């Protein structure tokens, strides 16, 4: 019997995974091919093994690659809780871990182990266990100088070891044998966590563990700067079709990469996949072994029969807006625009009074798909272009802010304190889960909206006032504009809203009540059941890199004089302030109850609604 079986291990702290069990379950089997292997992270306590291990796990799961991270402290809470830190116990600790990692790898998972594993012979034995089973094993040295590790000392163990309270502590009174020929060395005192993850991913790519295609997150469709003059000359020489403002908004969405992996307006195969499956395969009528891409709405370009007849046979055509060439559509493909079927499948109604259905019904009788090349970034010159950050620009922004989690909130309405409560609570939850710097992406929709919605210009003023009053923390909030038009297609559309934010780097998405919904134009009842948007989103295929944060109903608590999460046991304490009532108060210049909305933000709304009254 091992000497320490009576005493067990001490000085261990359980570490919380960032990837939930439900999220991990979504990706098992979504990518073809066997990827089983073990990534063995070794290094001193405080070198960054656990941080890198969990970040790598989160990265791989977000790209549809099933994996599991075994952390030293976590394993000593269960499987190895009867082991201490004597030489014999340490050897047995690593032997058990190696065997467990082999089982995970044999099951097809990428197993990430984060253990000091100080002795070369133990690590070599772990490699042999995998090699005997024909499984890849990657030894990665997480290299940080002792003084750096000691200065971090998150668990306070170095201090105890220096004081003599812990005996046999690696780096203090027990040796760490550095790997002689590791597969990779990560210098965590120089490189950031994201840079370290990129190095590991590149290693796994060379070994065909991570598919190269899975790492390319954003496909922009802009002409390279060194080819711009030639592209402009080509566009000016091509036959052209005049597009609408709505079409130009979709050009912006496509060109900036929000609809990645689309390379342009949908061809017929892609259109059929989307309207029938709600997912994109590969646009060539074949399924994709590398996983499912969620794309629930068709992104198409309608044209008239006359334009089709005029352009048919051309190898490319120019797209023109307000007389100006903005893009080239190559290898065009024409197919019938079956409007009633499209509306029935996407909106669940063909009622022509629905504002977006009406636009579809009035659009061209043909659709043209093809590869899109956009001459330059779409700008609207409305004073708000600085907020129109592309997915790549947003990702860079999050990196600069050192965000370790990004939670997105989609909205097309002004922010009241109930929304703010939900965002504040999400941040609190993420901090409790172990994230250090979660960042909010407040992402109002900036494309077409129906006439009675508050215009973008006024919404942006109102959002700025909310931040000015610190209802939301400006230091941990990014306000940007999402360029997509609004469809008002309920659960179908909310998937699009979520996956677009996923492309931009969000890994958490807050879904509200009746997302992307509206009243039926004729019956005035909810067109979609209000809770089903959230339910659909939680089950939707292909959204593997984002976790859904369900909406909790908030209402005005008359006792607290503040927005609060609704408690049905205290129903009489709550006042549900409807949008109709809010608009009426604003038009009449009256104030809502204290605590409903930040005063400066409310002032913006009253100015807007009173300006409408003056116009009328």
């Amino acid at each position: 019997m091992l000497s320490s079986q009576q005493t067990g291990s001490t000085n261990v702290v359980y570490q919380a995974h960032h990837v939930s069990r439900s999220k991990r379950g979504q990706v098992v089997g979504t990518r073809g091919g066997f990827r089983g292997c073990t990534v063995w992270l070794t290094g001193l306590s405080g070198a960054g093994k656990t941080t890198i291990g969990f970040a790598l796990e989160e990265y791989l799961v977000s790209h549809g690659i099933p994996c599991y991270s075994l952390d030293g402290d976590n394993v000593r809470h269960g499987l190895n809780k009867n082991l201490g830190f004597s030489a014999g116990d340490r050897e047995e600790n690593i032997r058990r871990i190696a065997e467990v990692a082999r089982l995970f790898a044999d099951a097809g998972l990428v197993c990430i182990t984060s253990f000091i594993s100080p002795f070369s012979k133990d690590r070599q034995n772990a490699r042999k266990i995998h090699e005997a089973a024909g499984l890849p094993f990657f030894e990665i040295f997480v290299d940080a100088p002792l003084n750096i590790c000691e200065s971090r000392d998150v668990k306070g163990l170095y201090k105890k070891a220096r004081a003599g309270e812990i005996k046999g502590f690696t780096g203090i009174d027990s040796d760490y044998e550095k790997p002689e020929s590791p597969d990779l060395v990560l210098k965590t005192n120089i490189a950031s966590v994201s840079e370290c993850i990129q190095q590991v991913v590149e290693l796994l790519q060379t070994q065909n563990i991570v598919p190269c295609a899975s790492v390319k997150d954003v496909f922009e469709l802009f002409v390279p700067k060194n080819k711009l003059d030639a592209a402009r000359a080509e566009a000016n020489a091509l036959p052209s079709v005049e597009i609408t403002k709505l079409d130009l908004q979709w050009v912006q969405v496509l060109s900036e990469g929000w609809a990645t992996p689309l390379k342009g307006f949908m061809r017929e195969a892609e259109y059929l996949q989307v309207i029938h499956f709600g997912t994109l395969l590969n646009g060539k009528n074949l399924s994709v072994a590398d996983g499912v891409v969620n794309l629930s709405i068709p992104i198409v370009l309608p044209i008239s029969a006359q334009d089709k007849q005029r352009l048919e046979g051309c190898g490319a055509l120019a797209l023109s807006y307000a007389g100006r060439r903005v893009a080239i559509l190559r290898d065009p493909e024409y197919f019938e625009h079956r409007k009633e079927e499209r509306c029935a499948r996407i909106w669940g109604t063909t009622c022509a009074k629905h504002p977006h259905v009406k636009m579809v019904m009035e659009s061209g009788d043909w659709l043209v798909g093809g590869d899109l090349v956009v001459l330059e970034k779409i700008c609207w010159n409305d004073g708000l272009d600085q907020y129109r950050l592309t997915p790549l620009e947003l990702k860079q922004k999050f990196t600069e802010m050192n965000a370790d989690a990004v939670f997105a909130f989609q909205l097309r309405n002004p922010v009241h304190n109930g929304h703010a409560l939900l965002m504040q609570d999400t941040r609190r939850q993420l901090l409790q889960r172990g994230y250090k710097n979660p960042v909010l992406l407040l992402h109002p929709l900036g494309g077409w909206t129906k006439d009675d919605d508050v215009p973008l210009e006024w919404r942006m003023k109102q959002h700025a006032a909310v931040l000015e009053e610190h209802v939301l923390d400006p230091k941990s909030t990014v306000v940007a504009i999402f360029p997509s038009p609004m469809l008002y297609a309920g659960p179908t559309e909310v998937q699009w809203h979520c996956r677009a934010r996923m492309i931009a780097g969000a890994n958490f998405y807050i879904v509200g009540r009746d997302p992307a919904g509206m009243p039926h134009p004729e019956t005035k009842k909810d067109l979609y059941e209000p809770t089903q948007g959230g339910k659909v989103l939680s089950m939707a295929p292909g959204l593997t890199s984002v976790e859904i944060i369900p909406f909790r109903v908030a209402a005005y608590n008359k006792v607290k004089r503040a927005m609060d999460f609704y408690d049905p046991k205290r129903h009489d304490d709550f006042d549900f302030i409807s949008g109709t009532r809010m608009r009426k108060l604003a038009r009449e210049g009256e104030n809502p109850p204290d605590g409903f909305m930040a005063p400066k933000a409310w002032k913006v709304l009253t100015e807007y609604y009173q300006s409408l009254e003056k116009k009328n």
Side-chain angles (χ1 to χ4, degrees):
M1 189 163 82
L2 293 164
S3 61
S4 59
Q5 279 184 319
Q6 290 127 348
T7 58
S9 56
T10 57
N11 302 311
V12 295
V13 180
Y14 193 85
Q15 306 293 321
H17 286 253
H18 288 170
V19 179
S20 67
R21 192 170 290 173
S22 61
K23 180 53 58 184
R24 187 178 288 109
Q26 284 184 14
V27 305
V28 174
T30 60
R31 286 194 178 275
F34 181 82
R35 307 185 192 283
C37 68
T38 289
V39 175
W40 191 280
L41 302 176
T42 176
L44 293 171
S45 177
K49 300 181 301 301
T50 295
T51 299
I52 290 170
F54 284 159
L56 178 62
E57 177 187 41
E58 190 169 21
Y59 180 94
L60 293 176
V61 168
S62 75
H63 288 79
I65 297 169
C67 63
Y68 193 81
S69 182
L70 293 171
D71 180 74
D73 281 3
N74 289 1
V75 170
R76 282 183 176 273
H77 274 84
L79 177 68
N80 293 348
K81 68 180 179 180
N82 64 326
L83 299 179
F85 292 94
S86 67
D89 282 7
R90 283 183 164 185
E91 181 179 348
E92 175 62 11
N93 180 53
I94 298 306
R95 187 197 68 79
R96 291 184 193 178
I97 295 310
E99 292 288 0
V100 171
R102 177 186 63 81
L103 294 173
F104 273 99
D106 193 44
L109 277 73
V110 175
C111 185
I112 306 159
T113 67
S114 303
F115 294 84
I116 295 173
S117 45
F119 303 126
S120 296
K121 65 179 179 63
D122 294 339
R123 297 193 301 267
Q124 194 58 37
N125 183 52
R127 183 185 290 275
K128 288 177 181 177
I129 287 171
H130 284 73
E131 288 176 348
L135 294 165
F137 179 93
F138 306 104
E139 183 183 38
I140 297 179
F141 179 27
V142 184
D143 185 12
L146 177 61
N147 65 313
I148 296 293
C149 295
E150 198 164 352
S151 68
R152 291 170 179 168
D153 202 16
V154 177
K155 304 168 190 173
L157 300 180
Y158 281 101
K159 186 177 180 181
K160 290 180 179 179
R162 292 288 187 192
E165 297 173 27
I166 301 176
K167 301 295 183 184
F169 191 79
T170 303
I172 303 300
D173 56 356
S174 180
D175 290 339
Y176 176 80
E177 299 173 0
K178 292 184 178 182
E180 292 183 4
S181 54
D183 296 282
L184 183 66
V185 177
L186 300 176
K187 298 279 189 180
T188 57
N189 61 319
I190 299 171
S192 67
V193 173
S194 60
E195 288 168 339
C196 289
I197 297 306
Q198 193 57 44
Q199 291 178 53
V200 179
V201 169
E202 287 171 3
L203 169 66
L204 296 179
Q205 280 182 292
T206 64
Q207 303 300 314
N208 297 317
I209 302 296
V210 175
C212 292
S214 74
V215 179
K216 181 67 176 177
D217 293 320
V218 180
F219 293 109
E220 289 190 341
L221 306 181
F222 298 114
V223 175
K225 286 184 178 179
N226 63 344
K227 297 181 180 179
L228 188 54
D229 289 343
R232 285 192 193 283
E234 180 187 4
N236 287 331
L238 286 171
S240 69
V241 62
E242 187 73 14
I243 62 174
T244 67
K245 184 176 182 180
L246 183 72
D247 298 330
L248 186 63
Q249 290 171 358
W250 286 122
V251 169
Q252 181 174 9
V253 165
L254 290 165
S255 65
E256 294 178 359
W258 296 99
T260 295
L262 281 184
K263 298 296 182 66
F265 283 105
M266 288 179 178
R267 300 175 182 276
E268 186 177 29
E270 294 163 324
Y271 174 76
L272 291 175
Q273 290 163 15
V274 166
I275 68 167
H276 288 280
F277 310 143
T279 55
L280 193 66
L281 303 176
N282 71 347
K284 305 294 182 186
N285 287 323
L286 298 172
S287 63
V288 173
D290 270 349
V292 173
V293 176
N294 184 290
L295 194 51
S296 58
I297 62 164
I299 300 178
V300 292
L301 180 60
I303 62 169
S304 67
Q306 292 87 345
D307 278 335
K308 173 188 176 283
Q309 188 175 9
R310 175 173 61 86
L311 297 168
E312 210 161 15
C314 298
L317 56 100
L319 304 185
S320 180
Y321 177 71
R324 185 164 174 262
R325 309 287 169 110
V326 296
I328 298 171
L329 193 71
R330 301 195 187 282
D331 189 21
E333 176 185 334
Y334 302 91
F335 53 105
E336 185 183 355
H337 189 186
R338 298 181 64 85
K339 303 173 191 177
E340 188 174 16
E341 181 187 9
R342 174 184 169 189
C343 294
R345 291 190 179 278
I346 301 303
W347 283 275
T349 181
T350 56
C351 177
K353 292 181 181 178
H354 184 291
H356 206 119
V357 169
K358 182 175 185 289
M359 290 195 296
V360 171
M361 292 300 192
E362 293 173 353
S363 66
D365 292 335
W366 290 87
L367 299 174
V368 58
D371 295 345
L372 193 65
V373 180
V374 180
L375 300 180
E376 59 187 5
K377 186 177 177 181
I378 305 299
C379 292
W380 299 95
N381 302 314
D382 55 359
L384 299 174
D385 283 327
Q386 72 269 25
Y387 292 104
R388 293 185 173 94
L389 301 180
T390 67
L392 288 178
E393 288 170 339
L394 282 168
K395 285 190 166 191
Q396 181 60 35
K397 182 80 171 174
F398 301 143
T399 299
E400 291 168 359
M401 295 174 72
N402 293 315
D404 58 354
V406 176
F407 58 108
F409 190 71
Q410 139 85 30
L411 66 168
R412 70 172 199 272
N413 292 310
V415 174
H416 58 62
N417 287 357
H419 299 134
L421 178 66
L422 191 60
M423 291 180 262
Q424 293 159 358
D425 187 64
T426 300
R427 178 174 169 80
R428 178 191 60 77
Q429 289 180 50
L430 294 176
L431 289 168
Q432 283 184 343
R433 286 173 58 168
Y435 290 98
K436 300 294 189 294
N437 187 28
V439 167
L440 166 65
L441 172 59
L442 188 66
H443 213 199
L445 182 137
W448 173 88
T449 56
K450 54 190 174 67
D451 292 341
D452 59 351
D453 280 350
V454 178
L456 178 64
E457 174 194 1
W458 288 94
R459 283 186 278 133
M460 292 300 288
K461 288 179 183 177
Q462 196 265 354
H463 301 341
V466 167
L467 288 169
E468 186 182 340
E469 295 213 26
H470 289 262
V471 176
L472 297 171
D473 179 15
K475 292 180 181 178
S476 61
T477 302
V478 174
V479 181
I481 294 172
F482 178 44
S484 174
M486 191 73 198
L487 274 71
Y488 304 95
T492 298
E493 185 178 5
V494 74
Q495 296 173 70
W496 159 243
H497 290 167
C498 179
R499 68 93 64 191
R501 278 40 179 247
M502 181 178 83
I503 292 290
N507 39 13
F508 295 91
Y509 184 82
I510 303 171
V511 59
R513 180 189 180 277
D514 196 21
M518 61 171 282
H520 191 286
E522 292 179 338
T523 67
K524 307 305 178 187
K525 295 180 180 178
D526 287 330
L527 188 55
Y528 310 104
E529 201 283 324
T531 67
Q532 287 184 352
K535 293 173 183 175
V536 166
L537 201 54
S538 67
M539 299 184 289
L543 298 178
T544 53
S545 68
V546 67
E547 184 172 328
I548 308 306
I549 305 294
F551 183 81
R552 292 176 63 190
V553 178
Y556 185 73
N557 187 318
K558 293 178 287 187
V559 178
K560 292 183 178 180
R561 298 177 68 82
M563 296 300 287
D564 193 12
F565 290 121
Y566 173 65
D567 181 356
K569 295 176 183 176
R570 298 182 291 112
H571 176 78
D572 292 342
D573 292 349
F574 290 89
D575 183 5
F576 288 86
I577 300 173
S578 67
T580 301
R581 181 174 157 199
M582 182 184 75
R583 288 188 288 271
K584 183 175 184 293
L585 288 170
R587 276 196 303 268
E588 294 173 356
E590 296 182 22
N591 289 325
D594 289 344
F596 173 74
M597 186 181 290
K600 289 181 181 177
W602 180 254
K603 187 172 184 292
V604 172
L605 271 194
T606 58
E607 287 174 2
Y608 166 65
Y609 281 111
Q610 287 176 357
S611 72
L612 285 185
E613 291 294 302
K614 289 176 183 176
K615 284 181 183 178
N616 294 334

